């Protein structure tokens, strides 16, 4: 795995981004931002799952003003997502937003960006230049590839902000196409010092979207690129947070709650491993400590195959061996599989 690219560190609310700060898991609400209670409730649920930064859509004045009340009910920093109307960015800043996301594809006029940058600088609020392949600036050069056009759009906006003495910048270059996204990030990572928010846009429903996002995000992280991540899914945003942490855990970049090791099952298994693993997964969600738990289908290979697990079970007919670090500790009855395993996990 490549060494992580060292980016300029910025602060969004109480969350550090870039430098050697941990890679941050971000999501976006799917409620109507004007519905303050629903938005607070959704953000609080995301906080419970470990979401560290949340973006909200700001389509109008009422949504911009709602940020003030939403902030009173939540603990994580909020980022206002602004398109088209620069005045909404000013209102969101007035309402206390911790970060702004601007799309250079629809807010690029220097005089408008200047007003936003001035107001953001007064409050030390960072701006994410959020380039999206689907909404590139009209002036984009059609002779360039999409990845090049995305980089170009970001560089132009960065140049403008820098000329206004504004450097609290984060950049994202998202496309649905994974190779395009990777190329764009690889290119810009060498050209700017700012932290990068990475993700694959409009990735789809969890079934395909988690895979598409994982391929894109993991490739970039493996290359050392990325300071915040979002898995964009057509699903409840809690799924985005869960998937985000699974990616970071898979690359050993963050520890966050348990890791479940479960065998794929085969003709040797004498219990329904799929059902059992799902039941254990449902219980593990309540645990917030890092622990590796294994659910294995047979006593022949189970403990050995999962020997680096902290706690596990290897099932036989009607019974299972409970093991700790690959060593058998006792035998349990089928009816007690989940309860006994979880009791051992709690003890651990
Ligand atoms: Fe098959 Fe046993 Fe391996 Fe599970 S642990 S895949 S049941 S051999």
């Amino acid at each position: 795995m490549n060494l992580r690219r060292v980016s300029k560190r910025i602060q969004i609310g109480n969350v550090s981004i870039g430098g050697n700060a941990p890679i941050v898991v971000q999501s976006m609400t799917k409620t109507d931002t004007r519905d303050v209670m629903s938005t607070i409730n959704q953000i609080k649920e995301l906080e419970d799952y470990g979401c560290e930064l949340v973006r909200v859509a700001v389509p109008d004045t009422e949504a911009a003003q709602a940020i003030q009340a939403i902030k009173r009910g939540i603990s994580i920093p909020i980022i206002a997502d602004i398109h088209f109307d620069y005045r909404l960015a000013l209102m969101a800043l007035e309402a206390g937003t911790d970060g702004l996301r601007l799309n250079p594809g629809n807010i690029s006029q220097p005089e408008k960006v200047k007003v936003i940058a001035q107001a953001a600088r007064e409050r030390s609020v960072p701006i994410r230049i959020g380039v999206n392949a689907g909404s590139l600036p009209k002036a984009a050069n059609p002779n360039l590839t999409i990845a090049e056009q995305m980089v170009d759009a970001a560089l132009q906006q960065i140049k403008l902000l820098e000329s206004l003495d504004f450097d609290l910048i984060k950049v994202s270059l998202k496309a649905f196409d994974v190779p395009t996204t990777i190329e764009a990030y690889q290119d810009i990572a060498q050209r700017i010092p700012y932290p990068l928010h990475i993700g694959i846009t409009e990735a789809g429903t969890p079934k395909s979207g988690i895979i598409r996002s994982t391929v894109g995000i993991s490739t970039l992280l493996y290359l050392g690129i990325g300071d915040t991540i979002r898995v964009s899914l057509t699903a409840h945003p809690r799924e985005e947070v869960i998937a985000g942490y699974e990616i970071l855990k898979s690359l050993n970049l963050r520890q966050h709650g348990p890791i479940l090791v479960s065998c794929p099952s085969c003709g040797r298994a004498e219990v329904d491993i799929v059902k059992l693993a799902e039941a254990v997964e449902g219980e593990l969600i309540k645990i917030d400590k890092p622990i590796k738990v294994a659910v294995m289908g047979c006593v022949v290979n189970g403990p050995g195959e999962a020997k680096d697990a902290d706690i596990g079970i290897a099932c036989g007919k009607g019974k299972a061996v409970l093991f700790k670090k690959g060593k058998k500790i006792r035998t349990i009855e089928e009816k007690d599989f989940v309860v006994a395993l979880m009791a051992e996990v709690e003890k651990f």
Side-chain angles (χ1 to χ4, degrees):
M1 189 145 123
N2 289 7
L3 278 180
R4 185 166 164 206
R5 164 183 172 265
V6 180
S7 57
K8 178 178 156 26
R9 193 159 172 152
I10 60 165
Q11 195 74 20
I12 300 188
N14 57 2
V15 174
S16 296
I17 290 162
N20 57 2
I23 293 166
V24 170
V25 174
Q26 186 172 327
S27 187
M28 184 168 183
T29 53
K30 307 197 176 185
T31 52
D32 182 337
T33 309
R34 294 166 297 191
D35 181 347
V36 172
M37 270 331 289
S38 301
T39 305
I40 288 177
N41 288 339
Q42 189 162 85
I43 295 174
K44 287 185 86 61
E45 185 180 351
L46 294 179
E47 287 175 4
D48 288 343
Y49 280 85
C51 181
E52 295 165 308
L53 277 181
V54 68
R55 183 158 54 115
V56 297
V58 180
D60 60 19
T61 305
E62 206 186 324
Q65 289 166 346
I67 288 175
Q68 190 167 15
I70 293 167
K71 266 187 70 77
R72 283 198 288 265
I74 63 170
S75 311
I76 55 175
I78 196 166
I79 297 168
D81 192 46
I82 311 290
H83 294 264
F84 303 105
D85 190 348
Y86 79 105
R87 289 167 302 182
L88 295 174
L90 300 179
M91 284 178 217
L93 286 166
E94 198 61 43
T97 190
D98 301 291
L100 286 175
R101 182 269 168 128
L102 303 182
N103 182 342
N106 54 46
I107 303 182
S108 60
Q109 300 92 324
E111 62 285 2
K112 292 178 180 167
V113 176
K114 184 177 176 183
V115 179
I116 299 172
Q118 268 168 355
R121 192 180 42 235
E122 279 164 20
R123 296 166 173 85
S124 299
V125 168
I127 295 176
R128 164 152 73 97
I129 299 173
V131 179
N132 195 308
S135 53
L136 285 164
K138 287 190 185 67
N141 180 350
N143 297 321
L144 300 178
T145 64
I146 296 294
E148 288 167 342
Q149 288 182 41
M150 288 162 69
V151 170
D152 210 39
L155 291 177
Q156 284 187 34
Q157 192 89 326
I158 289 168
K159 214 163 127 193
L160 176 57
L161 287 175
E162 286 176 340
S163 74
L164 301 166
D165 202 22
F166 188 91
D167 66 353
L168 302 175
I169 298 171
K170 184 166 78 156
V171 176
S172 65
L173 306 167
K174 296 187 185 177
F176 173 76
D177 186 68
V178 174
T180 298
T181 307
I182 293 170
E183 279 163 36
Y185 276 108
Q186 277 191 288
D187 185 2
I188 205 152
Q190 298 170 24
R191 298 194 193 204
I192 60 166
Y194 303 111
L196 296 172
H197 169 67
I198 61 171
I200 301 297
T201 197
E202 295 122 21
T205 57
K207 204 170 176 183
S208 55
I210 289 177
I211 293 172
R212 179 169 282 273
S213 294
T214 303
V215 172
I217 292 172
S218 303
T219 304
L220 287 166
L221 291 174
Y222 195 83
L223 293 169
I225 297 169
D227 299 288
T228 62
I229 65 168
R230 179 192 174 197
V231 177
S232 304
L233 295 175
T234 313
H236 191 286
R238 84 171 82 82
E239 304 302 326
E240 301 187 352
V241 178
I242 294 169
Y245 276 109
E246 287 303 322
I247 292 172
L248 295 177
K249 288 194 292 187
S250 301
L251 289 166
N252 300 330
L253 289 169
R254 292 281 301 265
Q255 286 197 328
H256 182 81
I259 292 175
L260 177 62
V261 180
S262 61
C263 84
S265 190
C266 71
R268 208 187 285 273
E270 291 179 292
V271 294
D272 185 343
I273 286 295
V274 177
K275 213 165 126 196
L276 182 60
E278 281 173 359
V280 172
E281 190 175 47
E283 292 297 318
L284 288 177
I285 211 122
K286 301 165 197 160
I287 309 270
D288 61 359
K289 300 273 183 306
I291 179 171
K292 201 178 250 184
V293 177
V295 174
M296 307 300 284
C298 73
V299 275
V300 182
N301 295 336
E305 283 180 10
K307 58 182 172 297
D308 64 334
D310 296 309
I311 303 289
I313 54 172
C315 306
K317 199 172 174 61
K319 289 187 193 314
V321 169
L322 195 58
F323 61 90
K324 199 176 190 172
K325 298 278 185 195
K327 299 251 166 17
K328 297 175 190 177
I329 49 174
R330 65 190 162 92
T331 303
I332 50 176
E333 298 293 322
E334 186 161 358
K335 63 176 176 38
D336 302 326
F337 281 178
V338 178
V339 174
L341 178 71
M342 290 312 297
E344 213 56 49
V345 168
E346 294 283 352
K347 245 198 270 173
F348 194 88

mmCIF file with all atom_site columns, all heavy atoms in Angstrom, residues 45 48 62 66 68 79 101 179 212 269 271 278-279 292 314 327:
data_model
loop_
_atom_site.group_PDB
_atom_site.id
_atom_site.type_symbol
_atom_site.label_atom_id
_atom_site.label_alt_id
_atom_site.label_comp_id
_atom_site.label_asym_id
_atom_site.label_entity_id
_atom_site.label_seq_id
_atom_site.pdbx_PDB_ins_code
_atom_site.Cartn_x
_atom_site.Cartn_y
_atom_site.Cartn_z
_atom_site.occupancy
_atom_site.B_iso_or_equiv
_atom_site.pdbx_formal_charge
_atom_site.auth_seq_id
_atom_site.auth_comp_id
_atom_site.auth_asym_id
_atom_site.auth_atom_id
_atom_site.pdbx_PDB_model_num
ATOM 1   N N   . GLU A 1 45  ? -28.997 9.511   14.296  1.00 0.00 ? 45  GLU A N   1
ATOM 2   C CA  . GLU A 1 45  ? -28.818 8.083   14.001  1.00 0.00 ? 45  GLU A CA  1
ATOM 3   C C   . GLU A 1 45  ? -27.467 7.854   13.316  1.00 0.00 ? 45  GLU A C   1
ATOM 4   O O   . GLU A 1 45  ? -26.744 6.908   13.629  1.00 0.00 ? 45  GLU A O   1
ATOM 5   C CB  . GLU A 1 45  ? -29.962 7.563   13.118  1.00 0.00 ? 45  GLU A CB  1
ATOM 6   C CG  . GLU A 1 45  ? -29.845 6.068   12.923  1.00 0.00 ? 45  GLU A CG  1
ATOM 7   C CD  . GLU A 1 45  ? -30.936 5.447   12.062  1.00 0.00 ? 45  GLU A CD  1
ATOM 8   O OE1 . GLU A 1 45  ? -31.916 6.125   11.722  1.00 0.00 ? 45  GLU A OE1 1
ATOM 9   O OE2 . GLU A 1 45  ? -30.776 4.250   11.725  1.00 0.00 ? 45  GLU A OE2 1
ATOM 10  N N   . ASP A 1 48  ? -24.737 7.803   15.750  1.00 0.00 ? 48  ASP A N   1
ATOM 11  C CA  . ASP A 1 48  ? -24.662 6.513   16.465  1.00 0.00 ? 48  ASP A CA  1
ATOM 12  C C   . ASP A 1 48  ? -23.865 5.481   15.679  1.00 0.00 ? 48  ASP A C   1
ATOM 13  O O   . ASP A 1 48  ? -23.231 4.607   16.244  1.00 0.00 ? 48  ASP A O   1
ATOM 14  C CB  . ASP A 1 48  ? -26.073 5.947   16.723  1.00 0.00 ? 48  ASP A CB  1
ATOM 15  C CG  . ASP A 1 48  ? -26.799 6.745   17.788  1.00 0.00 ? 48  ASP A CG  1
ATOM 16  O OD1 . ASP A 1 48  ? -26.137 7.487   18.523  1.00 0.00 ? 48  ASP A OD1 1
ATOM 17  O OD2 . ASP A 1 48  ? -28.041 6.624   17.865  1.00 0.00 ? 48  ASP A OD2 1
ATOM 18  N N   . GLU A 1 62  ? -35.235 28.757  3.296   1.00 0.00 ? 62  GLU A N   1
ATOM 19  C CA  . GLU A 1 62  ? -35.716 28.090  4.513   1.00 0.00 ? 62  GLU A CA  1
ATOM 20  C C   . GLU A 1 62  ? -34.744 26.992  4.953   1.00 0.00 ? 62  GLU A C   1
ATOM 21  O O   . GLU A 1 62  ? -34.470 26.812  6.139   1.00 0.00 ? 62  GLU A O   1
ATOM 22  C CB  . GLU A 1 62  ? -37.103 27.493  4.231   1.00 0.00 ? 62  GLU A CB  1
ATOM 23  C CG  . GLU A 1 62  ? -37.949 27.355  5.466   1.00 0.00 ? 62  GLU A CG  1
ATOM 24  C CD  . GLU A 1 62  ? -39.264 26.636  5.167   1.00 0.00 ? 62  GLU A CD  1
ATOM 25  O OE1 . GLU A 1 62  ? -39.827 26.832  4.065   1.00 0.00 ? 62  GLU A OE1 1
ATOM 26  O OE2 . GLU A 1 62  ? -39.691 25.861  6.014   1.00 0.00 ? 62  GLU A OE2 1
ATOM 27  N N   . ALA A 1 66  ? -32.573 26.795  8.369   1.00 0.00 ? 66  ALA A N   1
ATOM 28  C CA  . ALA A 1 66  ? -32.826 25.652  9.271   1.00 0.00 ? 66  ALA A CA  1
ATOM 29  C C   . ALA A 1 66  ? -31.532 25.123  9.887   1.00 0.00 ? 66  ALA A C   1
ATOM 30  O O   . ALA A 1 66  ? -31.553 24.470  10.941  1.00 0.00 ? 66  ALA A O   1
ATOM 31  C CB  . ALA A 1 66  ? -33.535 24.537  8.500   1.00 0.00 ? 66  ALA A CB  1
ATOM 32  N N   . GLN A 1 68  ? -29.315 26.535  11.519  1.00 0.00 ? 68  GLN A N   1
ATOM 33  C CA  . GLN A 1 68  ? -29.098 27.044  12.877  1.00 0.00 ? 68  GLN A CA  1
ATOM 34  C C   . GLN A 1 68  ? -29.768 26.116  13.915  1.00 0.00 ? 68  GLN A C   1
ATOM 35  O O   . GLN A 1 68  ? -29.145 25.709  14.892  1.00 0.00 ? 68  GLN A O   1
ATOM 36  C CB  . GLN A 1 68  ? -29.674 28.450  12.979  1.00 0.00 ? 68  GLN A CB  1
ATOM 37  C CG  . GLN A 1 68  ? -29.294 29.132  14.266  1.00 0.00 ? 68  GLN A CG  1
ATOM 38  C CD  . GLN A 1 68  ? -29.595 30.623  14.229  1.00 0.00 ? 68  GLN A CD  1
ATOM 39  O OE1 . GLN A 1 68  ? -30.331 31.100  13.354  1.00 0.00 ? 68  GLN A OE1 1
ATOM 40  N NE2 . GLN A 1 68  ? -29.036 31.358  15.159  1.00 0.00 ? 68  GLN A NE2 1
ATOM 41  N N   . ILE A 1 79  ? -22.190 20.348  6.851   1.00 0.00 ? 79  ILE A N   1
ATOM 42  C CA  . ILE A 1 79  ? -21.703 20.998  5.618   1.00 0.00 ? 79  ILE A CA  1
ATOM 43  C C   . ILE A 1 79  ? -22.912 21.333  4.754   1.00 0.00 ? 79  ILE A C   1
ATOM 44  O O   . ILE A 1 79  ? -23.749 20.459  4.492   1.00 0.00 ? 79  ILE A O   1
ATOM 45  C CB  . ILE A 1 79  ? -20.741 20.064  4.854   1.00 0.00 ? 79  ILE A CB  1
ATOM 46  C CG1 . ILE A 1 79  ? -19.508 19.775  5.711   1.00 0.00 ? 79  ILE A CG1 1
ATOM 47  C CG2 . ILE A 1 79  ? -20.328 20.679  3.513   1.00 0.00 ? 79  ILE A CG2 1
ATOM 48  C CD1 . ILE A 1 79  ? -18.642 18.654  5.201   1.00 0.00 ? 79  ILE A CD1 1
ATOM 49  N N   . ARG A 1 101 ? -20.111 23.261  0.569   1.00 0.00 ? 101 ARG A N   1
ATOM 50  C CA  . ARG A 1 101 ? -19.733 22.563  -0.655  1.00 0.00 ? 101 ARG A CA  1
ATOM 51  C C   . ARG A 1 101 ? -20.276 23.389  -1.819  1.00 0.00 ? 101 ARG A C   1
ATOM 52  O O   . ARG A 1 101 ? -21.484 23.653  -1.886  1.00 0.00 ? 101 ARG A O   1
ATOM 53  C CB  . ARG A 1 101 ? -20.323 21.143  -0.669  1.00 0.00 ? 101 ARG A CB  1
ATOM 54  C CG  . ARG A 1 101 ? -19.936 20.329  -1.913  1.00 0.00 ? 101 ARG A CG  1
ATOM 55  C CD  . ARG A 1 101 ? -20.938 20.495  -3.012  1.00 0.00 ? 101 ARG A CD  1
ATOM 56  N NE  . ARG A 1 101 ? -20.477 19.971  -4.279  1.00 0.00 ? 101 ARG A NE  1
ATOM 57  C CZ  . ARG A 1 101 ? -21.170 19.119  -5.030  1.00 0.00 ? 101 ARG A CZ  1
ATOM 58  N NH1 . ARG A 1 101 ? -22.342 18.686  -4.626  1.00 0.00 ? 101 ARG A NH1 1
ATOM 59  N NH2 . ARG A 1 101 ? -20.703 18.728  -6.186  1.00 0.00 ? 101 ARG A NH2 1
ATOM 60  N N   . PRO A 1 179 ? -12.976 4.264   -13.389 1.00 0.00 ? 179 PRO A N   1
ATOM 61  C CA  . PRO A 1 179 ? -11.654 4.653   -13.914 1.00 0.00 ? 179 PRO A CA  1
ATOM 62  C C   . PRO A 1 179 ? -11.513 6.169   -14.102 1.00 0.00 ? 179 PRO A C   1
ATOM 63  O O   . PRO A 1 179 ? -10.457 6.732   -13.814 1.00 0.00 ? 179 PRO A O   1
ATOM 64  C CB  . PRO A 1 179 ? -11.569 3.905   -15.258 1.00 0.00 ? 179 PRO A CB  1
ATOM 65  C CG  . PRO A 1 179 ? -12.473 2.735   -15.083 1.00 0.00 ? 179 PRO A CG  1
ATOM 66  C CD  . PRO A 1 179 ? -13.600 3.225   -14.221 1.00 0.00 ? 179 PRO A CD  1
ATOM 67  N N   . ARG A 1 212 ? -19.316 -0.791  -6.388  1.00 0.00 ? 212 ARG A N   1
ATOM 68  C CA  . ARG A 1 212 ? -18.761 0.286   -7.241  1.00 0.00 ? 212 ARG A CA  1
ATOM 69  C C   . ARG A 1 212 ? -17.976 1.288   -6.385  1.00 0.00 ? 212 ARG A C   1
ATOM 70  O O   . ARG A 1 212 ? -16.858 1.679   -6.713  1.00 0.00 ? 212 ARG A O   1
ATOM 71  C CB  . ARG A 1 212 ? -19.920 0.974   -7.979  1.00 0.00 ? 212 ARG A CB  1
ATOM 72  C CG  . ARG A 1 212 ? -19.524 2.111   -8.883  1.00 0.00 ? 212 ARG A CG  1
ATOM 73  C CD  . ARG A 1 212 ? -20.688 2.518   -9.755  1.00 0.00 ? 212 ARG A CD  1
ATOM 74  N NE  . ARG A 1 212 ? -20.857 1.602   -10.864 1.00 0.00 ? 212 ARG A NE  1
ATOM 75  C CZ  . ARG A 1 212 ? -20.235 1.700   -12.038 1.00 0.00 ? 212 ARG A CZ  1
ATOM 76  N NH1 . ARG A 1 212 ? -19.414 2.707   -12.268 1.00 0.00 ? 212 ARG A NH1 1
ATOM 77  N NH2 . ARG A 1 212 ? -20.445 0.824   -12.984 1.00 0.00 ? 212 ARG A NH2 1
ATOM 78  N N   . ALA A 1 269 ? -20.476 -28.173 6.037   1.00 0.00 ? 269 ALA A N   1
ATOM 79  C CA  . ALA A 1 269 ? -21.223 -27.506 7.117   1.00 0.00 ? 269 ALA A CA  1
ATOM 80  C C   . ALA A 1 269 ? -22.478 -28.291 7.486   1.00 0.00 ? 269 ALA A C   1
ATOM 81  O O   . ALA A 1 269 ? -23.164 -28.832 6.613   1.00 0.00 ? 269 ALA A O   1
ATOM 82  C CB  . ALA A 1 269 ? -21.600 -26.102 6.671   1.00 0.00 ? 269 ALA A CB  1
ATOM 83  N N   . VAL A 1 271 ? -24.715 -26.822 9.823   1.00 0.00 ? 271 VAL A N   1
ATOM 84  C CA  . VAL A 1 271 ? -25.713 -25.834 10.282  1.00 0.00 ? 271 VAL A CA  1
ATOM 85  C C   . VAL A 1 271 ? -25.867 -24.773 9.188   1.00 0.00 ? 271 VAL A C   1
ATOM 86  O O   . VAL A 1 271 ? -25.061 -24.707 8.261   1.00 0.00 ? 271 VAL A O   1
ATOM 87  C CB  . VAL A 1 271 ? -25.283 -25.126 11.594  1.00 0.00 ? 271 VAL A CB  1
ATOM 88  C CG1 . VAL A 1 271 ? -25.239 -26.064 12.770  1.00 0.00 ? 271 VAL A CG1 1
ATOM 89  C CG2 . VAL A 1 271 ? -23.963 -24.403 11.410  1.00 0.00 ? 271 VAL A CG2 1
ATOM 90  N N   . GLU A 1 278 ? -25.677 -14.031 9.981   1.00 0.00 ? 278 GLU A N   1
ATOM 91  C CA  . GLU A 1 278 ? -26.529 -12.829 9.972   1.00 0.00 ? 278 GLU A CA  1
ATOM 92  C C   . GLU A 1 278 ? -27.008 -12.489 11.378  1.00 0.00 ? 278 GLU A C   1
ATOM 93  O O   . GLU A 1 278 ? -27.069 -11.324 11.768  1.00 0.00 ? 278 GLU A O   1
ATOM 94  C CB  . GLU A 1 278 ? -27.725 -13.032 9.036   1.00 0.00 ? 278 GLU A CB  1
ATOM 95  C CG  . GLU A 1 278 ? -27.314 -12.843 7.582   1.00 0.00 ? 278 GLU A CG  1
ATOM 96  C CD  . GLU A 1 278 ? -28.396 -13.180 6.574   1.00 0.00 ? 278 GLU A CD  1
ATOM 97  O OE1 . GLU A 1 278 ? -29.513 -13.603 6.990   1.00 0.00 ? 278 GLU A OE1 1
ATOM 98  O OE2 . GLU A 1 278 ? -28.112 -13.053 5.376   1.00 0.00 ? 278 GLU A OE2 1
ATOM 99  N N   . ALA A 1 279 ? -27.345 -13.537 12.149  1.00 0.00 ? 279 ALA A N   1
ATOM 100 C CA  . ALA A 1 279 ? -27.800 -13.301 13.533  1.00 0.00 ? 279 ALA A CA  1
ATOM 101 C C   . ALA A 1 279 ? -26.668 -12.697 14.369  1.00 0.00 ? 279 ALA A C   1
ATOM 102 O O   . ALA A 1 279 ? -26.878 -11.743 15.120  1.00 0.00 ? 279 ALA A O   1
ATOM 103 C CB  . ALA A 1 279 ? -28.281 -14.612 14.150  1.00 0.00 ? 279 ALA A CB  1
ATOM 104 N N   . LYS A 1 292 ? -12.429 -9.051  16.711  1.00 0.00 ? 292 LYS A N   1
ATOM 105 C CA  . LYS A 1 292 ? -12.629 -9.885  15.520  1.00 0.00 ? 292 LYS A CA  1
ATOM 106 C C   . LYS A 1 292 ? -13.374 -11.147 15.930  1.00 0.00 ? 292 LYS A C   1
ATOM 107 O O   . LYS A 1 292 ? -12.893 -11.893 16.795  1.00 0.00 ? 292 LYS A O   1
ATOM 108 C CB  . LYS A 1 292 ? -11.274 -10.232 14.905  1.00 0.00 ? 292 LYS A CB  1
ATOM 109 C CG  . LYS A 1 292 ? -11.367 -10.637 13.459  1.00 0.00 ? 292 LYS A CG  1
ATOM 110 C CD  . LYS A 1 292 ? -9.987  -10.920 12.896  1.00 0.00 ? 292 LYS A CD  1
ATOM 111 C CE  . LYS A 1 292 ? -9.550  -9.885  11.913  1.00 0.00 ? 292 LYS A CE  1
ATOM 112 N NZ  . LYS A 1 292 ? -8.265  -10.188 11.286  1.00 0.00 ? 292 LYS A NZ  1
ATOM 113 N N   . ALA A 1 314 ? -17.001 -22.727 15.841  1.00 0.00 ? 314 ALA A N   1
ATOM 114 C CA  . ALA A 1 314 ? -16.879 -23.629 14.702  1.00 0.00 ? 314 ALA A CA  1
ATOM 115 C C   . ALA A 1 314 ? -17.952 -24.697 14.916  1.00 0.00 ? 314 ALA A C   1
ATOM 116 O O   . ALA A 1 314 ? -17.966 -25.380 15.943  1.00 0.00 ? 314 ALA A O   1
ATOM 117 C CB  . ALA A 1 314 ? -15.490 -24.250 14.682  1.00 0.00 ? 314 ALA A CB  1
ATOM 118 N N   . LYS A 1 327 ? -7.902  -21.198 19.799  1.00 0.00 ? 327 LYS A N   1
ATOM 119 C CA  . LYS A 1 327 ? -7.827  -22.312 20.770  1.00 0.00 ? 327 LYS A CA  1
ATOM 120 C C   . LYS A 1 327 ? -9.224  -22.626 21.290  1.00 0.00 ? 327 LYS A C   1
ATOM 121 O O   . LYS A 1 327 ? -9.958  -21.721 21.700  1.00 0.00 ? 327 LYS A O   1
ATOM 122 C CB  . LYS A 1 327 ? -6.941  -21.913 21.967  1.00 0.00 ? 327 LYS A CB  1
ATOM 123 C CG  . LYS A 1 327 ? -5.498  -21.593 21.612  1.00 0.00 ? 327 LYS A CG  1
ATOM 124 C CD  . LYS A 1 327 ? -4.588  -22.704 22.137  1.00 0.00 ? 327 LYS A CD  1
ATOM 125 C CE  . LYS A 1 327 ? -3.192  -22.713 21.595  1.00 0.00 ? 327 LYS A CE  1
ATOM 126 N NZ  . LYS A 1 327 ? -2.640  -21.565 20.940  1.00 0.00 ? 327 LYS A NZ  1
#
